[in-house]
Amino acid sequence: MSDELDPEISALLGSSGGAASDAEPVEDLIEDVETLDDDVGAGSSFGSDFGNMFGASSGQARPASASSGPRTIHDVDLSKTEFNKLEKLVNDTPSDVYDDPKYYKTCLTGENNMAQRVHQLLTKYLTTTDPKDRSVFRQQIITAYWELLRGMVGKMSSMSTPLPKRMLVRYGIILPSLFKPENKEFFSKMILENVTGEPVLYVDEWFKEIAAGRMSNSATDEAKKPRAPENSEAASKEEKARLQQLKSKNSGRLQSAENILNIKENERKAIENELIRDIQQICTHAALYGMEPHTAELNEEQRKLFPVIADLMRRLSRNDKEFSKAFAEYKEAKGTYESVASKVQAAGGEDEESNDTEAVKLEFETYRQMAKMTVGRRGNQFPLFTREFFHCTENGTGMRENVIEVLRWIESLDPGVFVRMHKNVGNRIVPYVLLAPTYGDRGFCWEPFDRYNRVTSRGRIVVPMYPRDLKIAVLTAVADLRWQVAKEKASYYWMEEGLTGQYYQHVEQLKLKGDLKEFFIEDYILWMTKESTGVQRLDKDVRGIFWRNMPFPKELKEDLRKRSLVYDELCKKDLNREMSDGY
């Protein structure tokens, strides 16, 4: 190694633009890595600063009425209609985690033999001046880092895991001196714990939930080969997993039944209030002055209420039949859910904090594929944070709070984006969002919903944390979710019915060649970023398809119709459909 380092590389390894040194000199790093083998298993007690990053979470998604305790991110709240506006996006006081002089050593201590390999390659990568060698070391770091990560993700379920290790898994930060000073301050102020209550998770949180059994593994195309359990412990574990799966499925059925029951109950209350008001109006008589205590006959307005009341009585009768049916379905679903829940409780499925290493291993392979998909074949696969590749603004960085704000903006323009229909009732179900620390530009939907619970289970989307445009990255993920949910809903008739059918027929008419879903995603981005502001960029037919199937809020429609005759015509068609009861 050269005795004199290039000034820029020296700055990377030593100090960041005049800031206090956050890393040891490269010679000290080499000395440290030589002692890593001696420190394997020694661990570190750095986790105390993490506080209550993960609140105690019990079981899989379940309806609040059928359980006790506070809601968790796995509980789907069907009564919620929108994202809450966040009070703050970052902490006021920065954390000192990146000021720890032993941050780098803590990250690599106690890990597999790839820790030494990563250190050696990183040292060569940062000190070489030959572009070809730098490219070779960069590719080798990618492979070595993923092997290092394979051994680290299973430790995310332990509260004793040092904070630097979590930050490495969460943000890809291995060496604080690779920050720019302003980046370091920004990352130091990021909110570590999930105080939003939304199912938006960093990688370390994702693996913690998988290991604890509170989340099932992400779906894969490979079918599991059934095999007999090796021992009684494995058989017990397999039975618990089966019961949890059954519980999750019945949870969806119960939540849907309760939602329908609430709708019918609210409908009955509205009819009754209207009925009481009209009857009180009929029973109120004007005084006859000079002929007391007699009162006047019914006036014309009161007589007009007779047919209105008769109609209300018919509606109340119809509602009562529907309410009785909904109540019976809810009662049956509740009984089934509680029966399965008691079996899960008896099996100890929720009482013990588990660490399912097999589930973590399986999820790791899936996550690695997810991370690659956010980047693409020709993208930057480098897995570590470095100012060389990080060019995001603070609002454009894919941290949890920023992503939630983008999702809130999307839902404000597309109110039905997270609504899934069941028995003509819309359930708002926000998907799990995995924040991957990659330099990718596109998010995507991994699965639209759990295959065992299509009614109320959360889907899964993945969003890169360091994209060129965060809004576009989130939009691509949401558009993918939109497409897959619509396609699953239409089933075998997806090329004929609904959103996917109408869009497919449009593309066929134009004889376009390429990926149909990609066409849809690009058009959805234009729909949300351009058409929502009155800028016409879509084909006329596509605009009509989106206007009918993914309508803007009524207020926005009224604003758009004032801007252009194109939107005014669409609003008139809406009115015609409403008048013909075909909307």
Side-chain angles (χ1 to χ4, degrees), residues 119-138:
H119 169 71
Q120 292 171 343
L121 291 172
L122 184 61
T123 302
K124 293 176 181 178
Y125 174 75
L126 293 175
T127 56
T128 185
T129 57
D130 188 326
K132 292 183 179 180
D133 288 343
R134 191 174 177 83
S135 178
V136 171
F137 294 142
R138 175 181 166 186

Side-chain angles (χ1 to χ4, degrees), residues 502-519:
Q502 294 174 34
Y503 192 82
Y504 171 80
Q505 291 166 23
H506 163 74
V507 171
E508 281 293 294
Q509 287 177 355
L510 295 181
K511 301 186 184 301
L512 298 178
K513 301 297 181 183
D515 190 328
L516 181 66
K517 186 171 71 172
E518 285 301 312
F519 289 147

Side-chain angles (χ1 to χ4, degrees), residues 146-210:
W146 279 107
E147 290 305 311
L148 172 66
L149 196 64
R150 184 192 300 275
M152 293 184 71
V153 291
K155 299 178 181 180
M156 296 301 105
S157 60
S158 173
M159 291 302 295
S160 62
T161 299
L163 188 54
K165 290 182 184 289
R166 294 187 186 276
M167 298 301 96
L168 175 58
V169 174
R170 176 177 292 199
Y171 303 126
I173 299 172
I174 193 171
L175 198 59
S177 61
L178 297 180
F179 278 126
K180 289 181 180 178
E182 60 272 21
N183 295 154
K184 178 184 173 184
E185 182 179 5
F186 172 58
F187 274 79
S188 298
K189 288 185 176 181
M190 284 187 183
I191 301 172
L192 297 181
E193 62 278 0
N194 187 355
V195 296
T196 66
E198 299 295 347
V200 182
L201 304 174
Y202 292 108
V203 176
D204 59 312
E205 296 171 329
W206 188 274
F207 278 101
K208 175 179 170 59
E209 298 302 295
I210 293 290

Side-chain angles (χ1 to χ4, degrees), residues 391-425:
H391 304 294
C392 300
T393 62
E394 292 189 2
N395 290 334
T397 302
M399 64 180 189
R400 183 182 357 247
E401 290 70 23
N402 284 342
V403 170
I404 290 176
E405 284 297 292
V406 176
L407 290 173
R408 195 164 70 87
W409 167 76
I410 292 174
E411 194 172 34
S412 71
L413 298 180
D414 184 4
V417 64
F418 301 126
V419 175
R420 199 181 307 158
M421 300 301 295
H422 178 68
K423 294 185 177 179
N424 294 323
V425 175

Side-chain angles (χ1 to χ4, degrees), residues 33-91:
V33 84
E34 290 173 350
T35 63
L36 285 179
D37 291 336
D38 298 331
D39 293 334
V40 171
S44 173
S45 58
F46 205 89
S48 58
D49 290 343
F50 219 43
N52 297 321
M53 178 175 172
F54 306 101
S57 181
S58 55
Q60 296 187 7
R62 62 189 184 282
S65 60
S67 64
S68 59
R71 282 187 180 274
T72 72
I73 59 170
H74 307 295
D75 300 321
V76 177
D77 186 358
L78 297 179
S79 64
K80 196 170 180 180
T81 58
E82 60 184 8
F83 291 98
N84 295 329
K85 185 170 179 58
L86 301 180
E87 296 181 1
K88 61 180 182 178
L89 301 181
V90 295
N91 287 321

